[in-house]
Amino acid sequence: MERAGIPTAVITNLVTIAEQVGAPRIVLGRGIPYPTGDPDLPPHAERAWRRRLVEQALVALATPVERPTVFEVGAQDVGAQHVGAQPEEATRA
Amino acid sequence: MPVPQRIVHEVNAVEFGEATRYRQRRLVVGSDEVAAAFADAALAAVRPHLASPAERVRIVKPLDVVEPRSRGPEGGTFPGWLAPINRSRGGQTHVLRGAAVLAAGYLPRNQEGLVDMSGPAADLSPFSRTHNIVVEFDPAEDASWADVDAAVRRGLLRLAVHLADAAVDAEPDAVEDLAQPHRAVDPTGGLPRVGAITNLQTQGAFKDVFVYGRSMAGSLPTLIDPAEVDDGAVVSGQYGHPALRNPTYVHQNHPVVAALRARDGDDLRFAGLVLCPEPVEQAGKELMSEHAAWLCRAAGFDAVIVTKEGAGNADNDLALKVDALEAAGVPAVPLYPELSGPDGTGPPLVAGPRRGSLVSTGNYDQRVSLPAVERALGGPRLDVADVEATAAVEVPVATILGALSPLGAGRFTCRSTPPQEEPVQEGAA
Amino acid sequence: MMRVVHYINQFYAGLGGEEAAGLSPRLLDGPAGPGRLLDQLLGDEHEVVATVVCGDNHAAGTAGVTEELLGMVREAGAELLLTGPAFGSGRYGMACARLAAAGTTAGLPSLAAMHPDNPGIGEAGTAPVIAAGASARKMRASLQRVAPALAKLAAGQALTEQDGRVGRSARLGRLVEHTAAQRAVELVLRRLAGEDADAVTEIPLGGFDSVEPAAPVEKVGAASVALLTEGALVPAGNPDRLESARATRWLRYSVDGLDTLADGDWESVDGGFATTAANADPNRLVPLDAARALQRDGAVGGLHDELLVTVGNGTSVVTARRFGVEWAARLRAAGVQAAILTAT
């Protein structure tokens, strides 16, 4: 899809696999059997979270990327993003 | 204009004494003169120590490292810091080769590293092979961290010049001519013109590199007189990933420029040096890459060696530049540290060029076991491993200062071991 | 004789299919499932003394599970560890690869077996991986290759391609004579002498699947976006008989005029994961309700009126690539600018 010029946000819990196959825009979903849901949440909270997840997918679609890039719904902010390995700020040592 | 020269004075022993002097490759460091160099309202006290090669000494929390250099009584070293920019250029610069001044201690945003003067880590850090004057410091009570950082930096530069001043009248061990960039209008004798692009990390306080005393953040890529870099026009205030730093010492001895100069006139012409910031956002990185590629072409480079500073984020700066240069028909060779995981099986790059010839400066994640040492400088603990600073410890290469030198100073690298071979650890680690 | 401990998933242990994928780790005496054939093939040389079992979802998605499994392997007195064969199964392959990697790191001779295209293979670290077939139909042939490799490993010998070893090579550090800067000058001169870029690199760029990212959507609020899934969500009753694994085709269903995917109207027939939660609320698999709400609010211009569906479970990369090409063609023809794909 991306090769063909259609930006595609992949919502999945298996981020490492998505990265390995080179998906450029990856959105971290909740669980393997329910990427856009969470049966542990009360229904209204689950719907609210799903909306933020899809919003994050739309952010991914509008963001230029060079490499597999993971977009996450943060606890507070919608828009948390990191590229490949750790961002510069993170201590990897 | 005469060719700039380095007047080299070897140092093979260092001791403290009443007054600084240099004689027969022995450097005596005047203790009071160290204190004078670091006199600053932001510092309550400084404590100089010595750490020489093969000693069982560990330096923790290393900050910047500077090579002692002097342009004699009229001054001129470290333009923008200790000298005006509009001084006379070129000429002779005295170098205390084999010595280094190094600050060690806590600063915010300093990612903690170490230097071991012996053992397996000593094969990996360029600062395990120098006689180091290590300066610990206590901040003044009311000083801001930014002021402490600036005071330590000025102190290091002053001390470096002060020490080299002592050798100005000594008989040199060597005189080195520093080839200047070959001008595009001059005949090449059929040799290719090869230049260098040096990316400088520019991420704000404690993660910044200075050119003529100013942060390079916000600048466009620029050509710079390499002899000015020899004389300290580039000073590091960058305390990110220890193995992925380019301390001032490495800029003073710019490894890519040195390698190009070494072959100048034989199989290439040294064409020049471009400095470039590493912006934090993608659009800025793209602008730098496009402009750097244009600049290299405008300056008539036939090929370029490209280096970075920092981790994954800076991979992108390399990749974009190589892509822009190769697209413009200029072969570009980037130097990449690898991030292949502890066992070396992960993908090595966060962002690589579409195609290209890459040099590997080694694997960030590879583990090294360090034996216990007799004494430690820079602090009582190695916080990054949560052990006593003198303890035996296993660390990733990432922790060893300059071990993956992005500017190409090191001899560490990685090679693929095919799955049909039994993986065998070689080299130091 | 050495004591072999064998790791398999819930399915091969006979403890259930996808409904048991959440099964927590357990230790069984002696061989189980394919371990019995393995034990025969090992002859009198070595013995399968225990089998460690874990459900695929639990093994792929639980923090610390690899350490727990390795602890059980140790507890069983393992001198050798075999994980799999996982064939082409992604979650199982990942668990097998991680456990073998952990065993190797801990000094226990360990071996994983899976198809060379298994997405988990990259997690095997320095543990050797022996090639297995693509599916369980190749169980006997796969174990016939695994047994001698295990014997060789027991003898302390290195496994090679001749033994069926596959996987990613390791990048190992070493000191060399020249500095990186000096080597860079060498590479530059070789490039200038006409050598190809790829021929003179110290870091090979091939081998990773790199997808050239598409340009971002300029105005999402004006764009038409399609919803896609490889989670096999189809109308209840599966009228078009979509496969539950190893897809050979894809399907499209109208969502025109629908505000949500109502439970009872849709079901997932994916054989690779527990579908209970998704069937109770299909929006957990394809977020149509949230996408419609965002469309009403103007956050997205429009939703494509068709949902494109296939099943990713065990589907080969080659086939999946073909689907991608076909989907892109159809969406472009329909004026769709971007897509959201849910993957399980």
Side-chain angles (χ1 to χ4, degrees), chain B residues 40-59:
Chain B
D40 193 294
L43 298 176
V46 293
R47 289 175 301 280
H49 304 271
L50 300 176
S52 284
E55 290 183 335
R56 294 186 60 201
V57 179
R58 177 170 300 151
I59 305 162

Side-chain angles (χ1 to χ4, degrees), chain A residues 1-14 16-17 19-25 32-39 46-47 50-51 54-55 57-58 61-67, chain C residues 57 91 94 119 209-217 220 228 273-274 277-278 281 283-287 289-290 293-294 297 299-300 321 324 327-328 331-332 337-344:
Chain A
M1 299 283 297
E2 290 260 358
R3 276 197 186 97
I6 299 183
T8 301
V10 178
I11 303 181
T12 183
N13 186 241
L14 295 176
T16 49
I17 292 180
E19 284 177 327
Q20 269 180 38
V21 300
R25 295 178 169 87
I32 296 168
Y34 35 81
T36 60
D38 188 344
E46 185 183 3
R47 278 195 296 276
R50 177 155 56 238
R51 184 188 162 103
V54 177
E55 277 175 342
L58 297 176
L61 293 175
T63 303
V65 299
E66 287 291 318
R67 297 271 136 186
Chain C
N57 281 348
R91 285 171 298 169
M94 190 161 285
D209 200 352
S210 69
V211 176
E212 182 86 351
V217 181
V220 179
L228 326 170
F273 66 93
D281 180 0
N283 296 289
R284 288 172 176 159
L285 196 49
V286 174
D289 61 352
L294 288 163
D297 295 347
V300 58
R321 282 209 182 114
W327 284 4
L331 294 179
R332 286 170 85 93
Q337 283 97 40
I340 295 173
L341 167 67
T342 56
T344 52

Side-chain angles (χ1 to χ4, degrees), chain B residues 119-362:
Chain B
D123 290 332
L124 296 175
S125 177
F127 311 111
S128 304
R129 294 187 283 280
T130 48
H131 294 271
N132 299 320
I133 297 96
V134 181
V135 180
E136 298 176 332
F137 57 92
D138 293 333
E141 210 149 280
D142 301 327
S144 72
W145 283 115
D147 287 346
V148 173
D149 176 39
V152 168
R153 181 159 38 253
R154 276 193 299 272
L156 283 177
L157 300 180
R158 282 195 209 115
L159 180 59
V161 174
H162 164 74
L163 296 177
D165 279 344
V168 164
D169 295 326
E171 193 63 30
D173 289 296
V175 175
E176 296 172 351
D177 287 346
L178 301 175
Q180 283 293 84
H182 184 266
R183 299 189 310 161
V185 293
D186 292 338
T188 64
L191 298 176
R193 303 181 74 251
V194 182
I197 297 177
T198 299
N199 291 345
L200 304 177
Q201 180 123 115
T202 43
Q203 293 192 0
F206 310 108
K207 287 207 156 190
D208 233 342
V209 180
F210 305 96
V211 179
Y212 289 120
R214 295 155 187 264
S215 165
M216 212 197 177
S219 301
L220 283 173
T222 182
L223 280 164
I224 189 166
D225 178 352
E228 291 284 271
V229 178
D230 277 282
D231 281 338
V234 178
V235 167
S236 174
Q238 205 289 109
Y239 308 125
H241 307 271
L244 302 180
R245 280 182 212 167
N246 297 320
T248 300
Y249 183 103
V250 182
H251 288 292
Q252 292 173 290
N253 291 281
H254 198 300
V256 176
V257 170
L260 290 172
R261 280 173 172 159
R263 300 177 76 151
D264 182 62
D266 294 334
D267 38 23
L268 57 80
R269 299 286 181 193
F270 171 41
L273 172 62
V274 170
L275 298 181
C276 184
E278 290 177 351
V280 289
E281 88 295 7
Q282 186 71 14
K285 291 177 191 294
E286 285 168 11
L287 168 61
M288 297 305 145
S289 301
E290 290 301 318
H291 188 72
W294 174 85
L295 188 58
C296 290
R297 272 170 56 94
F301 291 9
D302 293 318
V304 191
I305 295 168
V306 194
T307 62
K308 70 159 186 172
E309 179 168 30
N313 191 325
D315 271 13
N316 217 353
D317 297 86
L318 273 188
L320 290 167
K321 283 199 184 70
V322 171
D323 286 346
L325 285 158
E326 295 269 353
V330 181
V333 171
L335 273 61
Y336 268 99
E338 301 187 33
L339 302 154
S340 315
D343 57 21
T345 58
L349 308 179
V350 172
R354 289 191 185 89
R355 60 191 287 274
S357 306
L358 285 62
V359 170
S360 164
T361 69

Side-chain angles (χ1 to χ4, degrees), chain B residues 192 255 263 267 326 333 338 343-345 348 357-358 360 366 408 410-417 419-420 422 426, chain C residues 125 158 161 165 167-177 179-181 183 186 189 191-192 197 200-202 208:
Chain B
R263 300 177 76 151
D267 38 23
E326 295 269 353
V333 171
E338 301 187 33
D343 57 21
T345 58
S357 306
L358 285 62
S360 164
Q366 187 168 328
R411 297 188 298 110
F412 194 48
T413 190
C414 278
R415 288 188 188 151
S416 292
T417 303
Q420 64 267 28
E422 186 67 6
E426 287 189 30
Chain C
E161 262 175 338
R165 186 167 180 181
R168 185 183 276 160
S169 61
R171 304 281 300 164
L172 297 179
R174 64 185 68 196
L175 288 169
V176 292
E177 186 184 350
T179 67
R183 303 199 310 276
E186 275 305 319
L189 292 173
R191 286 291 305 282
L192 288 167
V200 295
T201 187
E202 292 185 356
F208 316 110

